[in-house]
Amino acid sequence: MQTKLPIESQCAMLEDPRFITSKRPWFGRLPEQLTGDYSFAVVGDRCGMATEGVFEKALELLKDLKPSFVLAVGDLIEGYWASSGPAHEEWDELDAKVQATGLPFFPTVGNHDYGNTVMADVWSERKGMDYYAFRAGDALYITINTEHTPDELPEAFVDVIKTVTEQIKRDPAGAKTYLKAFGEALTPEQLQGMSQIKMTIGEEQFAFIEDVLKEHHDVSWTFINMHKPGWKTGSEEFCRLEQMLADRPYTIFAGHLHEMEYTREGNRELIQLGRTGGLPHGEEEVGANANLLLWVTMRAGVPTYRVVHLDSVQDIAGYPPNTAKHTKE
């Protein structure tokens, strides 16, 4: 007779039955059970205006570190395509890289991934559901789509973004120059629009979130993975989400702004991920603006965090002997 695992060690995917599809947005499978302490990683925005090789370096590092799973806060491709062909090409390239790690990988939707109806349709075709949840041991993880109604950009604006993205891809060293030209090419109205963060969740997601929270009321910690930092939007939907979380201990992961930030108020944690390949939004490329990933360890049901700066992770071959300091007798 098979022994039934205690509920606090079980792992299970949680899906909204309204999705009638065989497609899934994640790669790999959760461990069958998680007993005791475990670790997972969170990666930031790979795009927009990605620097080649940075996200790949993060994946290589994670292959060595072997977390139980990886979360991604969205913007995995440049996106904003007006036709499906280029979108599929980008996803083909990205998905192959992620799948090659062999790690369980759980992404959320970013505005670059889902920024218009074409991109939303491609996501649905390739990945099926755009929100989901899972339980891992004594913690609950809910992945939310903050682009439920895509915030579509004007065609002229997208053309400018595409031009600068291609320039940076060809000449990463000139990124600051191209980004400055990008800002100068925008109208005052476009610049003002860029400073506004819009998010939508929708009733279907809220119904799913409510059901999952009710069913898994016994967890020690709840994690929300979303792209846009709702606490910076003034969104009534974000306020509603936090009301649903009520007094349970929780952490919200978000991205979008390419700068690492951490806020804690009691048992409420808000973590805005820095970038993992995307272009820095600030002048400096160090500290909170550097390329990084987040390492999370669950100990006795409570998370602790370590920020791993990718520029500080070097291959051993980069340290040859210094023959000038010592001479043989």
Side-chain angles (χ1 to χ4, degrees):
M1 184 175 68
Q2 186 176 9
T3 303
K4 187 176 181 180
L5 297 173
I7 187 68
E8 63 271 12
S9 70
Q10 292 180 9
C11 297
M13 298 304 305
L14 309 169
E15 304 173 4
D16 192 333
R18 84 170 187 85
F19 289 110
I20 310 300
T21 176
S22 61
K23 305 290 186 179
R24 298 293 182 271
W26 58 83
F27 291 91
R29 300 176 62 181
L30 288 167
E32 290 187 6
Q33 61 174 310
L34 285 171
T35 55
D37 301 341
Y38 66 92
S39 296
F40 65 93
V42 191
V43 294
D45 294 26
R46 173 180 176 257
C47 300
M49 305 180 185
T51 300
E52 290 285 331
V54 174
F55 190 76
E56 293 77 5
K57 182 177 182 178
L59 293 181
E60 286 298 315
L61 176 61
L62 291 173
K63 281 172 65 177
D64 290 341
L65 296 178
K66 290 182 169 56
S68 294
F69 51 86
V70 180
L71 305 182
V73 296
D75 278 1
L76 289 170
I77 63 171
E78 298 293 355
Y80 285 115
W81 297 105
S83 60
S84 61
H88 279 294
E89 289 178 9
E90 270 205 283
W91 280 121
D92 285 344
E93 180 184 3
L94 184 279
D95 289 351
K97 291 175 180 179
V98 171
Q99 193 165 21
T101 67
L103 296 170
F105 186 93
F106 300 95
T108 191
V109 167
N111 53 293
H112 282 260
D113 313 320
Y114 208 86
N116 56 37
T117 53
V118 169
M119 298 301 299
D121 288 345
V122 169
W123 178 285
S124 179
E125 179 184 342
R126 295 180 67 98
K127 301 177 180 295
M129 52 194 68
D130 55 274
Y131 60 88
Y132 57 93
F134 62 88
R135 179 167 181 150
D138 198 24
L140 178 64
Y141 299 78
I142 304 177
T143 297
I144 294 176
N145 178 7
T146 57
E147 315 303 310
H148 173 70
T149 303
D151 184 22
E152 300 206 25
L153 301 177
E155 184 178 348
F157 190 16
V158 172
D159 288 343
V160 175
I161 293 174
K162 291 292 184 187
T163 298
V164 177
T165 299
E166 189 58 34
Q167 289 172 329
I168 292 173
K169 185 176 182 179
R170 291 198 307 264
D171 178 24
K176 288 185 178 180
T177 300
Y178 300 130
L179 193 61
K180 181 180 179 183
F182 168 68
E184 293 172 349
L186 300 180
T187 66
E189 292 77 14
Q190 289 171 332
L191 286 170
Q192 183 179 9
M194 285 188 66
S195 67
Q196 299 173 344
I197 305 174
K198 302 175 183 178
M199 62 171 283
T200 54
I201 295 176
E203 290 303 320
E204 290 171 338
Q205 280 196 87
F206 273 121
F208 173 73
I209 294 166
E210 184 177 20
D211 288 346
V212 168
L213 289 173
K214 187 180 299 183
E215 183 178 353
H216 298 271
H217 60 86
D218 60 319
V219 295
S220 64
W221 208 274
T222 298
F223 294 95
I224 303 293
N225 188 25
M226 61 199 303
H227 181 65
K228 289 179 178 173
W231 57 95
K232 295 185 175 182
T233 65
S235 164
E236 292 183 2
E237 288 192 319
F238 182 75
C239 293
R240 179 178 171 186
L241 173 64
E242 288 210 295
Q243 289 170 0
M244 293 170 71
L245 294 167
D247 297 327
R248 65 170 62 207
Y250 66 90
T251 301
I252 300 180
F253 298 121
H256 190 58
L257 297 179
H258 298 198
E259 184 175 12
M260 189 75 196
E261 293 182 1
Y262 173 76
T263 302
R264 177 162 188 161
E265 298 173 357
N267 284 332
R268 170 185 184 258
E269 295 182 318
L270 305 174
I271 300 180
Q272 178 182 285
L273 265 290
R275 60 197 180 100
T276 311
L279 199 70
H281 288 182
E283 288 293 322
E284 300 296 325
E285 297 185 24
V286 297
N289 289 309
N291 283 302
L292 51 81
L293 60 83
L294 186 66
W295 188 261
V296 188
T297 300
M298 295 297 291
R299 293 189 177 94
V302 178
T304 59
Y305 308 97
R306 297 290 182 268
V307 179
V308 180
H309 285 255
L310 295 174
D311 291 341
S312 299
V313 179
Q314 303 297 330
D315 189 278
I316 191 66
Y319 298 86
N322 188 340
T323 57
K325 284 190 175 182
H326 305 284
T327 58
K328 295 181 179 179
E329 293 184 3

